[in-house]
Amino acid sequence: MKLNQLARCLVVVGLGAHAAAWSQEVQKIERVEITGSSIKRIQDEGALPVQTISRRDLDRQGIVSAEQLIATLSSNGNGLDNLASNADVVSGQSRGNNGATSANLRLQGANATLILLNGRRIAAHGLNGGVVDLNQIPMAAIERVEVLKDGASSTYGTDAVGGVINFILRKDYTGLTVSGFTDVTQHGGGNIYRGSVTGGVGNIDKDGFNVMAVLSMTDNKRLDGSQRDFVNSFQPERGLSPDTRGTPFATVFFSPTITPPVYNGATLTSANILDLPGGAGCASQPGMAPYAEKLWNSAAASPANQFGCAWDSGKAAVIQQPVKNTNLVTRGMLKLGEHTLTGEVLLGKSESQKIFSANQISSGSATATIGLPNGTAVPSPFRSLAYPSSGASYQTVWNALVGAFPSLASQAGKPLAFRWRCMECGSREFETTTDTGRYLLSMDGPLPFLKDWDYKVGASQAFSKSNSVLGSGYQNWVGLANLINTGVLNPFLLAGQSQTPAALAALDAISAEGTKLYGGKYTTDEYDATASGPLFKLPAGDVMGAVGVDYRIEKYRFDGNQTVNTNDINTWIFNAPFDNVNALNGVKRKVGAIFGETIIPIVKNLDLNLSVRYDKYTGFGSTTNPKASIRYAPIDSLVFRASYSTGFRVPTFNQLFNGVTESPYTGAGVPDPSTCPTNVVSNAPGCQAVTFNTLFGGRSDLKPEESKMSNIGFVWQPVKDFSASVDLWDIRRDGQIQSLTLTQILNNYQLFPQAFQRDANGVLQTVDTRWVNTGETQTRGLELSMRGSTPMNGGRLSAGLDGTYLLKKRSKLLDNVAFGPSEIGQFTRSSELGIRWKHSAYITYTYGDWAWSLRQQYSTGYYGYVPPGVANGNASAPAFDPWVKPYYLHHASVAYSGIKNLTVTVGVKNIFDQDPPFANSYDTNTGSGSSWEPRVADPRGRSFTLGLDYKFF
């Protein structure tokens, strides 16, 4: 990163003007357990980089959900982890994440970031069985959040590779507080509301007990793509246009019912009559525009599709899913002499709707037969799908076709094959309800037989139970085919025209709304015990130690729907992803661990921290993972710190046990890599586009992945009123469990020949994209943190910055091959975007009962997706620029607490109403995505917030 860019970042937060006079808030000097260690210590003593976000920070930023908080962390990656990234059609590893959102520290993925609540685990999402859904975090009850930006496998277990996020609940609360919050967008859609009640009685120190309860409800409203102007998939001059001819006014496909016409020497595949010479034009219909075939096909194939229209599926999607969360936290603490008994019950309900484009219906031989669960093949309901000559619009369409291609006249009366977007069928919708909970009983206090030693023991059960049902947009397959084949349902309606009442009633009669899609439940039973205290004295001080045991049982069940898509084709629902093949009656694993830790004062101001953990996993044997860290303070104002640790992560249940799903590849044309060295569709021998299916699912032979994590840095406090830290971190993972993209497999055909399955004649049939253990990945970066404040005009000005600068991101697909090119600033379809620099900065001024805050979030740009037609020079895109511009947001808030028992906070998010930068995120395989990147940007635009907190007593 250039120095002048860094300087600009510092100016934003005001550090340049006041660095000599800032002061941090004074913290009580007491020993507490800090995330990342089992030994109690003074918070500032540690050798690990821990970022703390307080309740007050959350309120001032208008943060009411864990997803909003994670988006502000510069250390969080840019993967498919948020609700917006999973709002449209998804495939492969993203399936089954309905309504879920997760964290992803240091670009290591959601399944390598450990989420804790009060230092203990919570359950993974009921549908994916491997990643925690952040919707279950009761944010209204959170006192603070600690983010450990370092590996912690030796303390918490194997999945703490990227880091740990510990959500810490309020405790010892007394009084009754009612809170309300609104976050309303200027342009409509995506509003957020929250209400909560917090009550508590009893002072644990004076009364010997405390009982607290928090009830909160959060409602995130839907945001449609049509509500934001920046969502526009029809920008062919910039290299973006949908690769779909499934349009609300159907496109005619000549084969197999009609002999294709020849036009200017090209045998046509299809034609939309709106795009024919003299036609009304594709754009005459809402959401439609000409099909930019040259972006997706070779020069030879393009003329065959020259009279096509496309449809903006990105604008039709709901780009922010509606989610309602209800959380109840009850916590009781009872003093028993010097010991404290604690009981917690946490319950949550998350209700989400995933809404996306209406189904595309296609005629043709690609769906000629359907394989039933018993292995037999039957004719597909769409095998002979065609609009008959008796249909109300048949003659209009046929006359237009004959007018453009007179040679078709002799085939009058033949039914029309087509590709159609069935708007009357409704937008596709999944409704998902997830019930979560954790029951905990724990005790802590001094050990009676070891002086100055403390203990804590606990037993807990956490669960996440999810159930998804179909909403609108899904119909009985046979019934839908009958409505089309008989002409009742009309695929050729212009704007202003509508289906007949009889057709709409018939559609309603075959609706599958309310049908169970699938469900799952994940449960974790955990028992733990830890003791810590001084071991012996050295000249430089006490040697501290900790020992502990941890035993947990993880259970997972996934239910499909065995009453549909059975051996009777009449029960099948068109295009509904039931995933019955992934059904699991119940699997479980047991994990037992023992661990120890010690802090050794080598000499004055030089401490060595050593820890080790031994885990034994059902089915994977045992693993031992050590960690060593050092803290050295040569002078009072400077602390050096370093750490090294190893990790071990076993596959998730889904990665191991999912069945195999076979799906037709429907993306841009690709050749067989065994016959086409360039891997680009062209007229060259062997480089013609081929059709095939893809396989996805679990592998029972997956091996655990291993990791090595290191961190070195310093903390500098030249004066009492200012501190800064810099940490260089490095993570190396070997045998990482990944689902390689189809592009990766095609481009590395020589490395994965077993992934290409062929028939007896050598014709490509399927490509296997299931989970595999790959080679090594390396990620390295710098993290910068600054904090400080100074008195100003009777108040206090404070500022801070947290930034992450990515130095290395690269991988090799197998251990015996070289590393690939740098992945920093380069587009990837389904993994992490390697953003070079991200920061979050703030300035806050407090004066009496007032507090003003200004915040900035910033991320650098990157090189985006290049469509195949642009890459091979076939398509003309004069305004194409692969560079995706940097993204930044500014937020402001004012808090006032001058009215007794009342705090009012008002704010503006995205002050300058910054749109996401243009980015081609369209996926030709799934038909999802549009003109912005949900892994980076917030689609809501400017919004206005109001928060009220009133404490009755």
Side-chain angles (χ1 to χ4, degrees), residues 110-361:
N111 55 21
T113 299
L114 180 61
I115 305 298
L116 302 176
L117 189 63
N118 279 355
R120 289 184 168 93
R121 291 172 179 263
I122 52 180
H125 190 241
L127 292 183
N128 64 46
V131 175
V132 168
D133 175 18
L134 295 178
N135 284 310
Q136 66 181 293
I137 301 297
M139 291 298 289
I142 296 300
E143 177 182 277
R144 70 182 187 277
V145 182
E146 293 180 351
V147 182
L148 172 63
K149 294 177 280 189
D150 194 22
S153 294
S154 65
T155 302
Y156 298 115
T158 64
D159 43 2
V161 176
V164 180
I165 302 178
N166 189 8
F167 294 87
I168 299 171
L169 297 174
R170 296 176 176 181
K171 62 180 180 179
D172 202 17
Y173 177 85
T174 59
L176 177 65
T177 299
V178 176
S179 302
F181 176 85
T182 63
D183 183 344
V184 179
T185 62
Q186 177 175 321
H187 304 292
N191 295 340
I192 301 171
Y193 306 95
R194 186 179 77 179
S196 66
V197 179
T198 304
V201 295
N203 183 291
I204 191 68
D205 294 322
K206 295 180 180 180
D207 305 320
F209 77 94
N210 177 261
V211 177
M212 181 197 77
V214 182
L215 175 64
S216 64
M217 298 182 67
T218 304
D219 189 0
N220 296 264
K221 299 296 186 180
R222 66 185 277 178
L223 174 60
D224 295 346
S226 59
Q227 292 177 284
R228 293 296 180 267
D229 291 338
F230 63 80
V231 181
N232 177 13
S233 304
F234 289 120
Q235 302 185 62
E237 74 283 355
R238 304 176 79 174
L240 172 62
S241 187
D243 182 22
T244 174
R245 285 164 286 168
T247 48
F249 186 92
T251 297
V252 173
F253 274 66
F254 297 108
S255 177
T257 61
I258 297 173
T259 302
V262 176
Y263 184 83
N264 288 341
T267 300
L268 299 183
T269 299
S270 62
N272 193 300
I273 66 170
L274 299 175
D275 197 40
L276 294 176
C282 300
S284 65
Q285 305 302 301
M288 290 174 56
Y291 176 56
E293 67 277 359
K294 292 186 178 180
L295 282 175
W296 310 112
N297 296 291
S298 70
S302 294
N305 304 314
Q306 60 189 289
F307 297 118
C309 296
W311 183 66
D312 194 345
S313 56
K315 211 169 188 67
V318 172
I319 57 178
Q320 177 130 327
Q321 299 177 42
V323 180
K324 293 181 180 179
N325 293 321
T326 304
N327 298 98
L328 174 65
V329 177
T330 56
R331 179 186 177 100
M333 301 172 65
L334 179 65
K335 205 78 171 175
L336 301 173
E338 296 182 294
H339 307 271
T340 301
L341 177 66
T342 302
E344 281 181 6
V345 176
L346 281 71
L347 299 174
K349 179 183 286 290
S350 178
E351 301 166 278
S352 68
Q353 293 174 282
K354 180 172 180 177
I355 306 165
F356 47 102
S357 56
N359 259 320
Q360 176 177 282
I361 297 174

Side-chain angles (χ1 to χ4, degrees), residues 255-582:
S255 177
T257 61
I258 297 173
T259 302
V262 176
Y263 184 83
N264 288 341
T267 300
L268 299 183
T269 299
S270 62
N272 193 300
I273 66 170
L274 299 175
D275 197 40
L276 294 176
C282 300
S284 65
Q285 305 302 301
M288 290 174 56
Y291 176 56
E293 67 277 359
K294 292 186 178 180
L295 282 175
W296 310 112
N297 296 291
S298 70
S302 294
N305 304 314
Q306 60 189 289
F307 297 118
C309 296
W311 183 66
D312 194 345
S313 56
K315 211 169 188 67
V318 172
I319 57 178
Q320 177 130 327
Q321 299 177 42
V323 180
K324 293 181 180 179
N325 293 321
T326 304
N327 298 98
L328 174 65
V329 177
T330 56
R331 179 186 177 100
M333 301 172 65
L334 179 65
K335 205 78 171 175
L336 301 173
E338 296 182 294
H339 307 271
T340 301
L341 177 66
T342 302
E344 281 181 6
V345 176
L346 281 71
L347 299 174
K349 179 183 286 290
S350 178
E351 301 166 278
S352 68
Q353 293 174 282
K354 180 172 180 177
I355 306 165
F356 47 102
S357 56
N359 259 320
Q360 176 177 282
I361 297 174
S362 298
S363 308
S365 58
T367 53
T369 59
I370 298 295
L372 300 178
N374 62 11
T376 62
V378 297
S380 165
F382 284 178
R383 181 174 189 170
S384 301
L385 188 70
Y387 187 60
S389 60
S390 59
S393 294
Y394 180 89
Q395 202 60 47
T396 299
V397 176
W398 184 254
N399 289 342
L401 290 172
V402 172
F405 315 114
S407 63
L408 295 178
S410 61
Q411 302 183 67
K414 288 188 175 181
L416 300 174
F418 59 86
R419 184 169 296 170
W420 177 44
R421 187 72 59 170
C422 183
M423 306 302 289
E424 293 82 1
C425 294
S427 296
R428 286 172 286 178
E429 179 180 343
F430 304 153
E431 298 176 356
T432 301
T433 299
T434 301
D435 294 306
T436 59
R438 190 180 75 174
Y439 310 108
L440 169 68
L441 187 66
S442 66
M443 180 173 282
D444 61 87
L447 280 175
F449 50 85
L450 279 179
K451 182 181 179 181
D452 297 327
W453 274 65
D454 298 313
Y455 76 92
K456 66 172 186 177
V457 296
S460 65
Q461 182 183 77
F463 67 88
S464 175
K465 183 179 181 180
S466 301
N467 188 59
S468 290
V469 300
L470 296 178
S472 63
Y474 291 94
Q475 287 81 26
N476 176 272
W477 199 345
V478 171
L480 190 58
N482 289 337
L483 291 181
I484 295 171
N485 286 330
T486 58
V488 174
L489 201 57
N490 187 349
F492 299 99
L493 291 178
L494 296 169
Q497 298 178 328
S498 60
Q499 301 288 344
T500 65
L504 295 176
L507 264 181
D508 187 63
I510 60 172
S511 171
E513 186 168 355
T515 302
K516 179 181 177 180
L517 186 61
Y518 40 58
K521 184 176 183 180
Y522 187 97
T523 304
T524 298
D525 298 326
E526 185 171 17
Y527 310 91
D528 62 83
T530 306
S532 65
L535 295 172
F536 53 88
K537 283 186 175 293
L538 289 178
D542 289 335
V543 175
M544 305 294 292
V547 293
V549 295
D550 183 10
Y551 179 77
R552 66 182 188 272
I553 303 172
E554 300 172 345
K555 302 175 185 177
Y556 180 57
R557 187 189 75 244
F558 185 85
D559 303 318
N561 185 343
Q562 304 303 324
T563 65
V564 293
N565 290 24
T566 65
N567 291 323
D568 180 2
I569 192 64
N570 292 293
T571 69
W572 281 53
I573 297 172
F574 174 59
N575 209 26
F578 287 105
D579 286 350
N580 288 339
V581 70
N582 295 331

